[in-house]
Amino acid sequence: MHKLLWGAVLALMLVGCDAPREQVTVHEREAVPDNLSAWHVVEAIDGKLTLNERVVPYDLNTALFTDYAHKLRTVWMPEGTSAAYGEDDFDYPVGTVISKTFYYPLAEDGSVLRTDDYSGDFAGSGLNLDRVKLIETRILVKRDDGWQALPYVWNDQQTDAVLEIAGDAKRLKLVSTDGSAEEFTYVVPDFNQCAGCHADNHTEKAIRPIGPRARHLNKEYTYQSGKENQLSYWQQVGFLSGLPELSGVPQNVNFKDTEVALAERARSYLDINCGHCHNPNGPADTSGLMLAHDEQDLRRLGVCKPPVAAGTGSGDRRFAIVPGHPEESIINFRVESTDPGAMMPELGRSLVHEEGAELLHNWIAGMPGNCSKS
């Protein structure tokens, strides 16, 4: 009788326990799942978007603008593997899975909020699904023959996301802290658009990560265990090998940090938002306009540089940058436009990034010199 009683108690205890969570699963290229949950990287569980074991969140010094969306970025690598440090690119091991979840904080009426405040978003290292609206999660997975990009779109119930190779579009109302509202269409890129942005070497046409590079990752992140430099943390958990002294690692700045020189902030902003195309090997190499972090030639950076082709894309302005005159500069025209034939970046936004546009306006307005001899 005693044994039977304890057997019944044990059975009840086991029923009440949560089932063990499945480990991250790397699916073959030819058999990618229709549902994001099948990867077991980030999953909606009990009202939270949770990170699996050894899935590490990360952030960037300055991030690519995407219609004021908030982003939860993660990286996972197979047990016993690590990325090899490189100043421009890390050599990630086969099987690496990088995810980026786009979402917005929720307003009480169900609209989404335009805010820089992330404090209400998180539940542990994941997201509180009562407080946010999930839009999409993009997966980058490293294969034997290179990276594969996969866009998943979240359902309205926020229980799972579905693979949408053709992309998607969602009509949203964005509400600012002052109460003003703006309706817009959030566009989820299709597979080819994902590949187009991530193939920052136009010759190789190979997809690779844009954000998780040394200069973008070289910053502190608040983990559940406390604040720590992200690169040091990756090294500690075995995700990064060959990391030099942090003093020798390049570092972009936060474009919103007014304690930093205006030019540094503007260059960091251009690097992450434009440099993956506007570099000597990028899709925009024929433009001659180079906006990556390491460009030192002012002419190639756009100062008094005429466009390759005039017309709609240039706003009939003569030079990419006219020192002291943002109102005459093509760069300002394009970042302040929402015309698909003129705006830059040409993918990933439907709205003007007002803070970024203001930064570039102030930077160019303060430049010395003129283009009178050009």
Side-chain angles (χ1 to χ4, degrees):
M1 190 72 179
H2 180 73
K3 289 182 179 180
L4 289 174
L5 177 62
W6 274 108
V9 171
L10 180 59
L12 288 171
M13 290 174 64
L14 289 174
V15 168
C17 291
D18 291 332
R21 186 170 176 182
E22 292 190 49
Q23 295 182 347
V24 171
T25 303
V26 181
H27 301 270
E28 296 298 324
R29 182 186 288 273
E30 298 78 15
V32 294
D34 289 333
N35 292 325
L36 176 69
S37 58
W39 291 91
H40 305 295
V41 174
V42 292
E43 295 178 82
I45 300 174
D46 296 332
K48 300 175 183 177
L49 185 67
T50 62
L51 279 57
N52 209 338
E53 184 181 1
R54 298 181 57 254
V55 174
V56 174
Y58 69 90
D59 197 9
L60 310 180
N61 281 305
T62 287
L64 179 72
F65 173 72
T66 312
D67 285 341
Y68 293 101
H70 288 198
K71 299 168 188 177
L72 173 63
R73 304 169 181 83
T74 75
V75 61
W76 175 90
M77 298 178 202
E79 190 81 47
T81 68
S82 65
Y85 176 86
E87 189 168 295
D88 292 322
D89 288 290
F90 295 167
D91 184 6
Y92 286 92
V94 171
T96 298
V97 180
I98 294 172
S99 81
K100 183 161 61 170
T101 298
F102 296 71
Y103 68 95
Y104 290 90
L106 271 173
E108 291 184 3
D109 65 354
S111 56
V112 297
L113 295 175
R114 172 181 161 178
T115 175
D116 289 333
D117 183 6
Y118 276 66
S119 62
D121 301 354
F122 287 91
S125 60
L127 299 175
N128 183 343
L129 296 183
D130 290 332
R131 303 286 297 272
V132 305
K133 179 176 180 60
L134 302 177
I135 305 295
E136 59 165 323
T137 295
R138 301 177 192 174
I139 293 287
L140 270 179
V141 56
K142 180 72 176 289
R143 308 295 192 183
D144 289 322
D145 57 351
W147 291 90
Q148 182 181 19
L150 300 165
Y152 287 84
V153 178
W154 282 90
N155 60 26
D156 292 337
Q157 297 76 31
Q158 303 199 141
T159 55
D160 209 344
V162 177
L163 182 65
E164 295 288 357
I165 294 297
D168 197 12
K170 292 184 178 292
R171 193 68 182 166
L172 300 173
K173 183 171 77 170
L174 187 68
V175 178
S176 300
T177 52
D178 63 3
S180 61
E182 182 175 11
E183 292 191 352
F184 72 104
T185 300
Y186 181 103
V187 178
V188 178
D190 61 36
F191 174 79
N192 289 329
Q193 289 171 325
C194 288
C197 279
H198 281 273
D200 62 352
N201 187 309
H202 196 50
T203 302
E204 297 177 359
K205 299 187 183 301
I207 296 174
R208 52 187 169 188
I210 295 171
R213 295 172 171 173
R215 64 185 182 276
H216 303 309
L217 293 172
N218 189 6
K219 61 166 288 185
E220 283 192 337
Y221 187 89
T222 304
Y223 300 97
Q224 289 191 277
S225 57
K227 279 189 177 183
E228 192 159 355
N229 180 278
Q230 292 183 126
L231 297 174
S232 297
Y233 186 85
W234 282 31
Q235 180 176 248
Q236 289 175 26
V237 299
F239 278 10
L240 186 60
S241 60
L243 177 65
E245 292 291 330
L246 288 178
S247 59
V249 176
Q251 183 179 41
N252 275 17
V253 301
N254 182 344
F255 87 97
K256 294 179 286 188
D257 186 355
T258 56
E259 299 296 316
V260 177
L262 182 61
E264 288 186 64
R265 294 162 56 204
R267 291 298 304 273
S268 288
Y269 183 85
L270 289 171
D271 181 32
I272 192 66
N273 282 279
C274 313
H276 53 283
C277 284
H278 286 274
N279 68 76
N281 300 309
D285 58 349
T286 57
S287 71
L289 182 64
M290 303 295 127
L291 301 176
H293 72 291
D294 55 354
E295 184 56 61
Q296 299 299 317
D297 186 314
L298 293 181
R299 182 81 166 195
R300 286 159 59 88
L301 186 60
V303 177
C304 301
K305 180 195 174 302
V308 171
T312 303
S314 67
D316 294 321
R317 300 181 182 187
R318 292 183 60 201
F319 304 112
I321 293 176
V322 180
H325 295 281
E327 76 284 355
E328 298 177 14
S329 301
I330 297 171
I331 281 181
N332 299 94
F333 169 73
R334 302 197 77 169
V335 299
E336 293 168 11
S337 175
T338 56
D339 179 349
M343 70 180 191
M344 283 291 172
E346 59 187 356
L347 295 175
R349 73 173 179 92
S350 301
L351 302 172
V352 174
H353 187 197
E354 294 177 8
E355 295 79 1
E358 181 182 16
L359 170 71
L360 297 179
H361 182 281
N362 293 340
W363 174 53
I364 292 174
M367 280 187 179
N370 61 72
C371 298
S372 60
K373 295 181 180 180
S374 299

